Amino acid sequence: MTALPPTSPSWLPVLSGLHLVLGLGLALWTLLFLFRIVLTWYPQVDLSRGAMRLIGAPTEPVLAATRRVIQPIGGVDVTPVVWVGLLSLVRELLVGQQGLVSQVLMRAQAGLVG
């Protein structure tokens, strides 16, 4: 077990902020991909117009690159499902209850208390 660097009052808020931003960012991106999955049931929806751009613009570049690697299965684009799984895994590994950033934050807080 390695010792953590000494924590200072200025270091802990940065780590807490990183934890919060990572958690919210990954959750938001997962939500956008979930919306993309639901919108595949409605092919008439144009993701380049109106409020739908908020869903299409951040997800389409990633999905387009992934579609070159993973072809549609039976005519169904599975890439949004793949990204929901990947993002959920990354979120759990980083900011989940046993995630890396969560563990460092908990140990840093315990070091300040103890």
Side-chain angles (χ1 to χ4, degrees):
M1 190 174 225
T2 61
L4 288 173
T7 57
S8 66
S10 65
W11 186 71
L12 194 58
V14 171
L15 187 59
S16 295
L18 174 67
H19 186 269
L20 179 66
V21 168
L22 274 174
L24 290 176
L26 290 168
L28 177 63
W29 223 26
T30 302
L31 188 62
L32 290 174
F33 282 112
L34 286 171
F35 284 141
R36 285 297 297 252
I37 292 170
V38 171
L39 288 173
T40 60
W41 302 336
Y42 303 98
Q44 71 276 10
V45 174
D46 185 5
L47 291 173
S48 63
R49 293 182 180 251
M52 292 300 153
R53 284 186 295 193
L54 296 173
I55 297 170
T59 57
E60 188 55 37
V62 175
L63 292 175
T66 310
R67 284 186 201 111
R68 284 179 258 176
V69 177
I70 303 172
Q71 299 297 319
I73 300 172
V76 177
D77 182 17
V78 296
T79 55
V81 176
V82 169
W83 277 101
V84 166
L86 285 173
L87 288 169
S88 297
L89 175 66
V90 168
R91 185 169 184 252
E92 189 61 33
L93 288 173
L94 292 178
V95 296
Q97 187 174 7
Q98 298 295 319
L100 295 173
V101 178
S102 299
Q103 290 297 312
V104 171
L105 183 60
M106 285 191 304
R107 288 185 183 191
Q109 289 171 338
L112 288 176
V113 173

